[in-house]
C-alpha cells in the first residue's frame, strides 16, 4: 500500500541515508542523519503514513553507523526474515485519483480504470502470491512507457502499483446487449449506459468484485421491474448515491456513518432513512433504514457524476447464488434481468461482495465482511498446528490460522446451490495455497447436512488432518471471545434462528458458559415444536402455531383458523399431535417469528428474517419500561405436548426460560387492541430483563452477545444497557458479523483452545 515509497520520500526530504526493507513481519528502516533530521523523520512516520495503512507498533533503537551513507534506498525484501505473504484488500478510489479522472488536463482524465498504490483492485484480481502484476489478472496488459515510468519511480504515487493502467495500455469499457452485440466502447459506452439508466433500463455493471445490477432509485416502476425480474419480492436494496450530499438528502446521517461512507473500504452503510426521502417505495419497503453507499471505483465515479441521481445497486446474481464475475457467465445468467451490460476486459478472479456495516453504540459493526476488509488477517492468540475452519451453511466464511493471526475469507453467501458449494471449495484452495499451508486440523459444524461439514470430512481425509466438529452456538460465542481476545470464562448469549445442538434438537435461544474450548448450557428457552420443520423458517405463523400447541386451549383455535386454510390447519394439528415432522426448538429467532405472527405483523416471510425485522421496526421510537411476566424454572415443566426424546438432556439444563406467561399476556394485549409498537417494545424489554436475571444467577462478569438475533439494533441496545447497568462487561461482534459469518472464526478459536 505504498508504505516503503512513503518512507523513502520522507527520508529523502530529511536528507537521511540508509534503507527500508520488507521483512514479512513488518518493515525495517535504518536511517542515518543528525538528531533533528531523525526526530522529524520519526514523527512523520506516525503522523503522515498512508491513510490506508495501520502502524501496530514502532520500535526505535540505536545502531552502529552505516558503511554506505551516500543515499536512501528501497530494498525489496529481507531474505533471512520469515516472510509471511500478505494479501491486500480492494481499496476505494483515493482522492488524488478522483481528482485526476475529473480534470481534463490530466493524462487519465475520464479513464475508468485509474488507480495507484493508495487505491484500486487487489484481492479481487490476485491469482497467486507474491503480489505483483504478473500474478494478477492485469498480466495480459503490457505497461506502456508512460505507466512504466511511473511504476519505476519511487517518488511517484504509482511506484509499484501493480494494477496501474491508462487509456493507452489498460482495460477498456464496452456496452453490450444481452445477445452479445457490442453497442459502444469507452466513453460512448459510459454515456449510452447513463442514457439507458435515465429511461429506467436495468444495467448490469461489471464492478470491482463482481457484477452489480443498477436501476434508477427514484422510479417505482423501474425498481419494481428489477424486483420482478430478479425474483426478489421485498428484501431491501442498497442504493448507490452520487455524493455525500445526496445521501444526506435521503438519510439522517451521523459523523461515524459519514466517515464509513467515505472510507477506503466504502461499505454499504445502514442508515436511518428520511421519511421525505425521494426514493421509490420499493427500494426498501416497510424498513426505516437504507443501505447507502458511495462510488468506490473510477467507473462508479464517472457514471454517477454523469447520471447525478441515486441508483439501486444490488449484487448481480440469481438469488441464493454467488455473484457473476465473468462476462459470458453474466450474459447467460443475468440475460433475462438486465437490459444492457456495461463490461470491461479486466478479469475478476473471485467474487468479493460489497461489505455492509452499521454504526452501533461502540462504533462500526460489520454485518457482512467482504470488499475492503477481507482477507486482512486479525490477531489470534494461537501459534500451534494450522487450523482450517469451514463455517456453517448460510452467510458463510472460512478461516485459516497463521502464526498468531487468522485469515477469514470474504462473505461467501449460502452454500445450498452448486455454485455456492463450488465457491467454498475454490476459496479453501485459494487461501491454503496463498499461505502455502496444509491444514493439520479441520474444524466444522455438527450438522451432517451442511455443505461445509461434508467438505470438512473430505478435506480431513485429503490432508490427513484431524477433524473437530463444533456445536454451532459454541462457535457463535467463541467468535466474539476471539475478536475481543477475552480470557477466562464468559457467559455467552447465542441467539439465532437455527443451529444443531448436540442433543439433535434445533438450538437458538442459548446461554452458554464458555471457557477453554468447553461449554456448558446454563440456560435455554423452553423448547417448542415447529410443524413441518424447515417450512417454519419461511412461515412465522407455523412457529406461532407450534408455540400455541404447547399450551393449547380452545380459544386459540380462532386465531389458527384465521391464519391457515381449512385444509392446512387439520394437517398441521395432526403433525403436532403425533409429533412427527415437528422437530423441537429452543430458537430465539423462531420465538421472534411467533410473536410477529401472533400480533398480526407477518405470517409468511418474503426473505429471511423479515418477520423478526418488522417486529423490531414496529417498536421504533417507542419508549416504555413496561414488560411481560418472566418465569424461569430450575426444573422443566413437562407438559403432555413435549415429546419424550428431550427428557434425557433436560437433566443437564439448569435453567429453563418459560415463555408461556409472556405469550399469554401478548395474546391478551393483542385482543385488547394494544398497538404492535407497545407489544414489541414490551417483548424487547422482557428479553433484556431475562438476560439480566440469568446473568445474575450465573454470575460471570464477562457477557458475550452473539448470533443473528443481535443484528436487531434495539435488542442489542436494550440487552447490553441492562447488563452494563448491572455491572457486567458486555461484548459483541464488531469487526466480525454477529450472524453466521462469524462461525468459522469461532470454530477456529474453539479448536485452538482444545489443542
Ligand atoms: Zn489512487
Ligand atoms: Zn499505460
Ligand atoms: Fe447461527
Amino acid at each position: 500500500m505504498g508504505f516503503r515509497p512513503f518512507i523513502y520520500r520522507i527520508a529523502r526530504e530529511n536528507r537521511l541515508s540508509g534503507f527500508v526493507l520488507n521483512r514479512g513481519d513488518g518493515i525495517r528502516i535504518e536511517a542515518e542523519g543528525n538528531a533533528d533530521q531523525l526526530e522529524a523523520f520519526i514523527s512523520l512516520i506516525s503522523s503522515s503514513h498512508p491513510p490506508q495503512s495501520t502502524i501496530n507498533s514502532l520500535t526505535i533503537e540505536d545502531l552502529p553507523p552505516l558503511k554506505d551513507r551516500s543515499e536512501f534506498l528501497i530494498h525489496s525484501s529481507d531474505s533471512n526474515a520469515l516472510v509471511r505473504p500478505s494479501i491486500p484488500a480492494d481499496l476505494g478510489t483515493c482522492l488524488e485519483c478522483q481528482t485526476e479522472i475529473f480534470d481534463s488536463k490530466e493524462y487519465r482524465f475520464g479513464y475508468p480504470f485509474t488507480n495507484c498504490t493508495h487505491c484500486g483492485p487487489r484481492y479481487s484480481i490476485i491469482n497467486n502470491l507474491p503480489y505483483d502484476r504478473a500474478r494478477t489478472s492485469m498480466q495480459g496488459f503490457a505497461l506502456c512507457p508512460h505507466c512504466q515510468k511511473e511504476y519505476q519511480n519511487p517518488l511517484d504515487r504509482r511506484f509499484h502499483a501493480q494494477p496501474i493502467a491508462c487509456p493507452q495500455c489498460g482495460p477498456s469499457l464496452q456496452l453490450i446487449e444481452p445477445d452479445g452485440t457490442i453497442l459502444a466502447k469507452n466513453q460512448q459506452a459510459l454515456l449510452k449506459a447513463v442514457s439507458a439508466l435515465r429511461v429506467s433500463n436495468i444495467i448490469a455493471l461489471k464492478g470491482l468484485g463482481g457484477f452489480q445490477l443498477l436501476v434508477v432509485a427514484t422510479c417505482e416502476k423501474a425498481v419494481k421491474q428489477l424486483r420482478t425480474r430478479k425474483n426478489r419480492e421485498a428484501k431491501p436494496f442498497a442504493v448507490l448515491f452520487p455524493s455525500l450530499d445526496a445521501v444526506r438528502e435521503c438519510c439522517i446521517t451521523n459523523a461515524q456513518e459519514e466517515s464509513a461512507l467515505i472510507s477506503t473500504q466504502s461499505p454499504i452503510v445502514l442508515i436511518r432513512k428520511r421519511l421525505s426521502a425521494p426514493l421509490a417505495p420499493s427500494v426498501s419497503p416497510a424498513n426505516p433504514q437504507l443501505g447507502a453507499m458511495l462510488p468506490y471505483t473510477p467507473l462508479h465515479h464517472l457514471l454517477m457524476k454523469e447520471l447525478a441521481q441515486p441508483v439501486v445497486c444490488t449484487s448481480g446474481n440469481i438469488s441464493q447464488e454467488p455473484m457473476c464475475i465473468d462476462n459470458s457467465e453474466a450474459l447467460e445468467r443475468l440475460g433475462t434481468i438486465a437490459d444492457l451490460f456495461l463490461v470491461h476486459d479486466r478479469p475478476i478472479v473471485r467474487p468479493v461482495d460489497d461489505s455492509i456495516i452499521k454504526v452501533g453504540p461502540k462504533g462500526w459493526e460489520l454485518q457482512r465482511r467482504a470488499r475492503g476488509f477481507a482477507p486482512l488477517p486479525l490477531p489470534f492468540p494461537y501459534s500451534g498446528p494450522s487450523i482450517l475452519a469451514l463455517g456453517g451453511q448460510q452467510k458463510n466464511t472460512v478461516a485459516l490460522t497463521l502464526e498468531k493471526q487468522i485469515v477469514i475469507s470474504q462473505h461467501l453467501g449460502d452454500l445450498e446451490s452448486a455454485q455456492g458449494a463450488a465457491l467454498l471449495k475454490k476459496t479453501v484452495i485459494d487461501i491454503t495455497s496463498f499461505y502455502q499451508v496444509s491444514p493439520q486440523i479441520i474444524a466444522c459444524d455438527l450438522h451432517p447436512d451442511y455443505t461445509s461439514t461434508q467438505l470438512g470430512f473430505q478435506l480431513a481425509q485429503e490432508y490427513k488432518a484431524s477433524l473437530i466438529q463444533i456445536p454451532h452456538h459454541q462457535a457463535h460465542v467463541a467468535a466474539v471471545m476471539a475478536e475481543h481476545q477475552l480470557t477466562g470464562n464468559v457467559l455467552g448469549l447465542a441467539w439465532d434462528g437455527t443451529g444443531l445442538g448436540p442433543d439433535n434438537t434445533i438450538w437458538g435461544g442459548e446461554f452458554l458458559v464458555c471457557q477453554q474450548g468447553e461449554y456448558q448450557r446454563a440456560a435455554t428457552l423452553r423448547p417448542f415444536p415447529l410443524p413441518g420443520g424447515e417450512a417454519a423458517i419461511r412461515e412465522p405463523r407455523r412457529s406461532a402455531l407450534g408455540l400455541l400447541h404447547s399450551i393449547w386451549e380452545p380459544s386459540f383455535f380462532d386465531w389458527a383458523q384465521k391464519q391457515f386454510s381449512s385444509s392446512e390447519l387439520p394437517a398441521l394439528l395432526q403433525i403436532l399431535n403425533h409429533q412427527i415432522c415437528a422437530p423441537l426448538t429452543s430458537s430465539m429467532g423462531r420465538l421472534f417469528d411467533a410473536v410477529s405472527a401472533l400480533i398480526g405483523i407477518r405470517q409468511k416471510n418474503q426473505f429471511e428474517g423479515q418477520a423478526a425485522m418488522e417486529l423490531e421496526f414496529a417498536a421504533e421510537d417507542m419508549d416504555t419500561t413496561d414488560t411481560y411476566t418472566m418465569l424461569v424454572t430450575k426444573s422443566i415443566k413437562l407438559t403432555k405436548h413435549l415429546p419424550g426424546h428431550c427428557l434425557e438432556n433436560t437433566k443437564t439444563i439448569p435453567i429453563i426460560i418459560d415463555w408461556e406467561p409472556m405469550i399469554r399476556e401478548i395474546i391478551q394485549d393483542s385482543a385488547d387492541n394494544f398497538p404492535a409498537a407497545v407489544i414489541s417494545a414490551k417483548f424487547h424489554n422482557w428479553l433484556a430483563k431475562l438476560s439480566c436475571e440469568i446473568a445474575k444467577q450465573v454470575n460471570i462478569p464477562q457477557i458475550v452477545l452473539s448470533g443473528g438475533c443481535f443484528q436487531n439494533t434495539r435488542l442489542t441496545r436494550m440487552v447490553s444497557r441492562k447488563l452494563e447497568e448491572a455491572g457486567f462487561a458486555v461484548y459483541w461482534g464488531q469487526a466480525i458479523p454477529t450472524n453466521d459469518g462469524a462461525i468459522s472464526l469461532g470454530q477456529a478459536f474453539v479448536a485452538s483452545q482444545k489443542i
Side-chain angles (χ1 to χ4, degrees), residues 95 189 357 387 405 474 545 701 711 740:
L95 284 171
I357 76 146
I387 303 165
Q405 286 190 331
Q474 184 187 14
L545 188 67
Q711 285 175 282
D740 284 7

Side-chain angles (χ1 to χ4, degrees), residues 92-98 100 114-120 157-158:
T93 312
C94 73
L95 284 171
E96 285 149 305
C97 286
Q98 285 180 42
E100 280 182 35
T114 302
N115 63 76
C116 72
T117 45
H118 301 156
C119 73
R157 205 172 87 245
R158 298 199 164 89

Side-chain angles (χ1 to χ4, degrees), residues 20 163 174 211-212 303 469 491 507 559 602 650 691 713:
V20 51
Q174 281 188 340
F211 272 82
Q212 298 175 312
L303 190 83
Q469 286 187 275
L491 173 64
W507 286 23
W559 176 87
R602 180 156 295 278
T650 55
S691 301
T713 306

